[in-house]
Each structure stands twice: as C-alpha cells, then as structure tokens.
Amino acid sequence: MTRSRLSRADFPGAGSTLVDGRTGRSCTWEELPAAPYAPPAAAVVDDSYAALPFVWEHARSGGELLVVARSRMEPALRTELLEAGFSMVGSERPEQPPAAARREAEPGRLWLLTSGSTGRPKRIGHTLETLTTVAGTQAPRRWLCPYSPGTYAWWQVVTLSLAQPGQDLVVVDPADLETWTAVALEHGVTAASGTPTFWRQTVMRSGAELARVPLEQISLGGEPVDQAVLDQLRERFPDARISWIYASSEVGASIVVHDGMAGFPVEWLDQDREGRPRISVVDDELVIVSPHHGAGLEGAVHTGDRVVVADGRVQITGRLDRDEINVGGAKVSAGMVRGVLQAHPSVAWARVSGRKAPLVGRVVVADVVPAGGADQGEAGLTEALTAWCQERLPDYGVPRRIRFLDAIPAKETLKSDV
Amino acid sequence: MTALSRDQLRGLMEQVLAAQGKTLPDDEGANLRQIGFRSLDFSELALRVEDEIDEELNFEAAGLRQIDTVADVLDLIEEIQAQ
C-alpha cells in the first residue's frame, strides 16, 4: 500500500472553500483547525463539517482513520472498533483500545463502514487514492454534500474537493435535509449528489425552491435509479448534466451514466478496458472487477444486486435476495414494478414487496406516497394505478393491494430500504 | 377477530372483480372460471379480508377442497373466519 500524499502540490483542492450548511461558517481545507489523532483512530463526529479536520489531518499525515457519524455509533460497534485497535476521538468519549488490541497503524489506510442495509456494517479498507475516482479536470463547482460522514458517497464528494481545484463543498447532514434547498440557494450550490430517495423527497417537499437552485451537475447513486426521477430532474434542470453512479464501498464507483436514461447500455457488459471496471451479469447478478475496489476485494465481486436486461439497457432493480417475488411460480422483479408505479404522474415514491397469500404463495403489494398534485382520493388513485400497471405488467406483477403513506420513509443513508 | 358477514365478503369479491373490469353475478352457483375469478383474485380477496379483520387467515386449517363456485369461495372464508 502506498503512503498517502504529503505534499500540498498533491492536493490541488486545498484552497477550496468548505461551508458548514448549518451555521454558514466557512474556511478552506488549509484553514481547518488542527485535529491531531493517534492512529489507528475512529473519528466519531456529530456532523459532517466536524469530520473535515480529521480528513485534512489524514491527508497530511496518512494516519490510519475511520470516520463515522455519532448517530451510527452503537455500543456493539464501539466495542468492535476498540477491539480492532482503534482509539476513539472526536465527539465520542475518548478511549484507548485495550492493551491486547493495540497495534501498529497502517500508513495511508482509511476505513469505511458499509451502510449495513444487508446486515451489520462491515469495515472496508481504502486509501485516499482508491477513494479518489474522478479523473480529468472538472469545471469549478460548489457541491452540496448531504451524506452521512464516513460513508462511501460522502468520501466521493470529499475526495473530489481535495483532488480537484475549485470544488467547494457545502456540507449538510441527513437530519437537515428538509432545508437543504434554502441552504443551497444561500451558498450558491451548483452541483449536488444524492440518492434517488433524496431527490424524490426534495421534489415532493420543495420542488419550486429546488428549481431555483442553479444546478449544473446532478448526481444520483446508492439505490436503483428509475426513469421517472431522472425525467423529473431533467424537466426542472434542462441544461444540467445528470449522472447516475453505481458505487459501493466494496467495488468503488464502477458505472457512471450521463445520458439521462435509467440503466446502462448492454454493450458495456464484458468489456476489458485498461483502468476501467469489468462489468458482467451472472445468473441475474451484477458482477464487477474494479480498479477502485476495497482492500482484499481484488477480482470479481458478486455485488448482490439483481439486474434485468431489457430494450438494450441493463437495469439494476434491487437486492438479489429481496427483489424477486415468486407469484405462483411466476417471477416478478419488485424493482421493475416499482419503476412502473413511479412512472405514474400521481406517484412520488413506491415500495414493492411480496405478501404471503393463499393459492399462489405471494402476491405483489405496494406502498405508495402520492405526488403533491394527486387529488383523486385513495380509492380513485388505487383504481388509476391498478389500470396503469395492468397496461404495463403481466397479471402476476400488478400490485393487488396498495397502501398509501404520507411521506417518503428514508434512513440516515438517504436510502428508503426499497 | 370480528368476522365479516357473507354480504361483506360478497362486497369485497365484487371489488376484486371490478378492478379487473368484471362483475359478480347474483347467483352464488356461478362458476368461477366463467366469471373470470382466478387464483390471483382469490389471493387478493384473502388479503382484503385480512386487512378488514386485521388478522391473518389460516387456510391450512381448512384443508384442501375443490373451489368451483362463488358459494365455495364464500363458504371457505366464512369457515376460516369461524375457526
């Protein structure tokens, strides 16, 4: 493993401005307060801005580091990290690891915690180099970073700011997302990255204000991306570049699509190109060999994500173990049904699952959040959505029960657990 | 558990069929195949009943049987509710 870069010249973004969306305070990377720590350390932070001094310290010293939001810091995780040799710094009660667990730090090592959406969070080893995946000169932009500190998506935005000149950051926290459009307007945000759930919530809550944010770059990732959310964003931002990114702690940023369409071209499968990930489909599962992989994850990584190939595009529909619903022997993708529902103009968000039922084992059911302008009432909307799905899906794929929710449920990861 | 009456069950069955653009005949002897009431529709009816009574129906306890007519469907669900 190479040691992290030490020279100012290696961090062209060191002069970029960092804005705390909560308080409005700002400074450059170089002006951040010192945050010395004894590696290996777990920096536990109350908010995203508080994590940035630790990142800058790591960039200069290469000291082994894990960044995590205090809200994710459960007692079991704290114990696990202490037993893995990490000292606790930041807003968490300072504590040294037990003597038996103390060890030499790995120079340059950064640890990320997976989202835990498929079980307990796992630690994945990276370095600043493997996390810095944006190559080529970028136009100067001011990025909104809404992610929980220490997650892969958070690091993607943060390393972009470090590695490229003119990539300012406005950091907000998942708890403050209802007000991010006002913050973005106040601080001149021109680029924003979020999950499809994040964008849907924003369109639903503050669509008019969102349209006033002068966005030139919109990025989506972290969840399956459907055509409806891309179209809604394109309608509001006809001139912006809209990108969706398939990325994870394990394989890094592996698929980036800029054509405004859900999924990616089938021609991208099984291509061997120097320095680029190799993407394959094996038994409906996305399999990736990535140069941006985490430590120890060389070779083909079975992502656990299910894909469907249709009309020349490869669509990522959801987790393999949850996406497929068996209805009396006929198999239907929950993600595909969700995509059909979310394409209806009266639907802001949908979750699709299988529900135990006699004769056929499971039937397709859905939770739906109506869009702001939907005024048919629940019975009328149920009828309209059923008819909509009947025109677009096989019988067994049409949701037989539709439950209406008032708001889009979202977790700190900005995902909605669909 | 508050069991649904036979009329209420008929009402739910009507709703299931209406969503498919079909109607429920008055005659309970009507053949399910002829009126287009299929396995998926039966499943949906069961879910509608469960949602109304807020309890899961135990079809296993009712045993296997031939279900050919509207009356067979209503009889079966009435019987399961009574368990």
Side-chain angles (χ1 to χ4, degrees), chain A residues 6-345:
Chain A
L6 300 175
S7 159
R8 159 77 199 271
D10 287 320
F11 295 102
S16 298
T17 303
L18 312 170
V19 181
D20 181 351
R22 283 183 169 174
T23 63
R25 64 184 162 164
S26 67
C27 66
T28 66
W29 283 103
E30 292 174 309
E31 293 166 348
L32 283 166
Y37 60 86
V44 186
V45 292
D46 286 328
D47 58 74
S48 194
Y49 199 75
L52 299 179
F54 291 104
V55 174
W56 183 236
E57 187 68 32
H58 170 85
R60 292 183 298 158
S61 71
E64 184 177 345
L65 180 69
L66 178 147
V67 174
V68 61
R70 185 152 53 165
S71 53
R72 294 190 69 195
M73 198 64 183
E74 295 172 356
L77 179 58
R78 179 186 172 92
T79 303
E80 188 180 309
L81 290 174
L82 285 167
E83 288 175 354
F86 290 86
S87 57
M88 296 288 147
V89 297
S91 63
E92 186 83 348
R93 178 167 48 86
E95 187 172 347
Q96 293 298 312
R102 286 180 195 162
R103 60 177 172 81
E104 288 289 310
E106 287 184 66
R109 173 63 73 217
L110 284 171
W111 292 100
L112 277 65
L113 292 172
T114 59
S115 64
S117 53
T118 54
R120 270 179 74 77
K122 289 181 298 206
R123 254 191 346 268
I124 306 287
H126 275 276
T127 63
L128 276 180
E129 285 80 4
T130 61
L131 289 169
T132 305
T133 54
V134 177
T137 306
Q138 303 291 308
R141 290 199 173 105
R142 179 160 282 206
W143 283 87
L144 181 91
C145 180
Y147 296 107
S148 180
T151 58
Y152 185 83
W154 184 86
W155 276 109
Q156 284 288 283
V157 185
V158 166
T159 55
L160 173 65
S161 176
L162 268 175
Q164 297 267 348
Q167 306 299 313
D168 295 342
L169 296 185
V170 177
V171 295
V172 295
D173 284 270
D176 303 324
L177 292 185
E178 293 197 18
T179 56
W180 82 257
T181 44
V183 172
L185 281 168
E186 183 183 350
H187 297 291
V189 163
T190 59
S193 175
T195 59
T197 295
F198 163 87
W199 287 110
R200 272 192 205 95
Q201 284 181 322
T202 303
V203 167
M204 193 177 167
R205 278 190 196 133
S206 29
E209 193 167 61
L210 171 65
R212 290 171 43 220
V213 180
L215 292 178
E216 300 162 0
Q217 168 69 51
I218 294 172
S219 301
L220 303 92
E223 291 177 305
V225 178
D226 60 278
Q227 193 61 48
V229 70
L230 292 171
D231 290 346
Q232 286 171 8
L233 292 170
R234 172 59 67 213
E235 188 183 325
R236 283 167 176 80
F237 300 98
D239 300 322
R241 186 168 79 154
I242 300 177
S243 314
W244 77 259
I245 300 163
Y246 179 90
S248 70
S249 313
E250 288 89 346
V251 298
S254 296
I255 304 169
V256 184
V257 183
H258 301 297
D259 65 6
M261 291 170 64
F264 60 88
V266 72
E267 293 79 14
W268 291 11
L269 291 176
D270 304 317
Q271 297 290 312
D272 289 306
R273 285 181 295 174
E274 181 70 26
R276 297 287 188 88
R278 186 178 201 279
I279 308 160
S280 308
V281 177
V282 178
D283 295 333
D284 296 336
E285 182 179 15
L286 190 67
V287 176
I288 296 178
V289 181
S290 171
H292 311 304
H293 62 77
L297 291 166
E298 295 85 356
V301 172
H302 287 252
T303 63
D305 283 321
R306 184 166 190 257
V307 298
V308 173
V309 180
D311 301 327
R313 303 286 286 192
V314 183
Q315 308 278 352
I316 298 162
T317 55
R319 299 295 296 170
L320 202 62
D321 56 351
R322 284 181 292 185
D323 186 61
E324 186 175 278
I325 304 171
N326 188 331
V327 184
K331 289 171 183 169
V332 61
S333 158
M336 295 296 275
V337 179
R338 187 171 67 245
V340 168
L341 282 168
Q342 288 180 164
H344 191 282

Side-chain angles (χ1 to χ4, degrees), chain B residues 2-82:
Chain B
T2 306
L4 300 182
S5 69
R6 197 170 183 89
D7 279 348
Q8 287 173 309
L9 293 175
R10 270 191 69 90
L12 292 179
M13 202 170 171
E14 272 176 344
Q15 289 175 22
V16 173
L17 283 165
Q20 317 292 320
K22 300 165 190 167
T23 52
L24 179 66
D26 292 335
D27 177 14
E28 284 195 7
N31 183 279
L32 296 177
R33 189 168 294 177
Q34 287 174 348
I35 63 172
F37 191 83
R38 302 153 304 159
S39 299
L40 265 170
D41 302 320
F42 183 89
S43 299
E44 180 185 338
L45 174 63
L47 298 190
R48 284 177 181 261
V49 173
E50 288 179 351
D51 289 345
E52 287 291 324
I53 64 176
D54 199 22
E55 195 165 322
E56 192 173 310
L57 296 173
N58 182 3
F59 281 84
E60 289 169 13
L64 289 172
R65 69 176 72 178
Q66 187 88 11
I67 302 171
D68 293 324
T69 65
V70 172
D72 290 340
V73 172
L74 299 175
D75 289 346
L76 175 61
I77 295 182
E78 277 191 318
E79 185 183 318
I80 291 170
Q81 288 188 111

Side-chain angles (χ1 to χ4, degrees), chain A residues 338-377:
Chain A
R338 187 171 67 245
V340 168
L341 282 168
Q342 288 180 164
H344 191 282
S346 296
V347 173
W349 173 90
R351 171 169 53 204
V352 172
S353 58
R355 178 171 159 187
K356 187 181 168 194
L359 295 185
V360 295
R362 295 202 166 268
V363 297
V364 176
V365 298
D367 292 331
V368 165
V369 177
D375 56 0
Q376 300 108 305

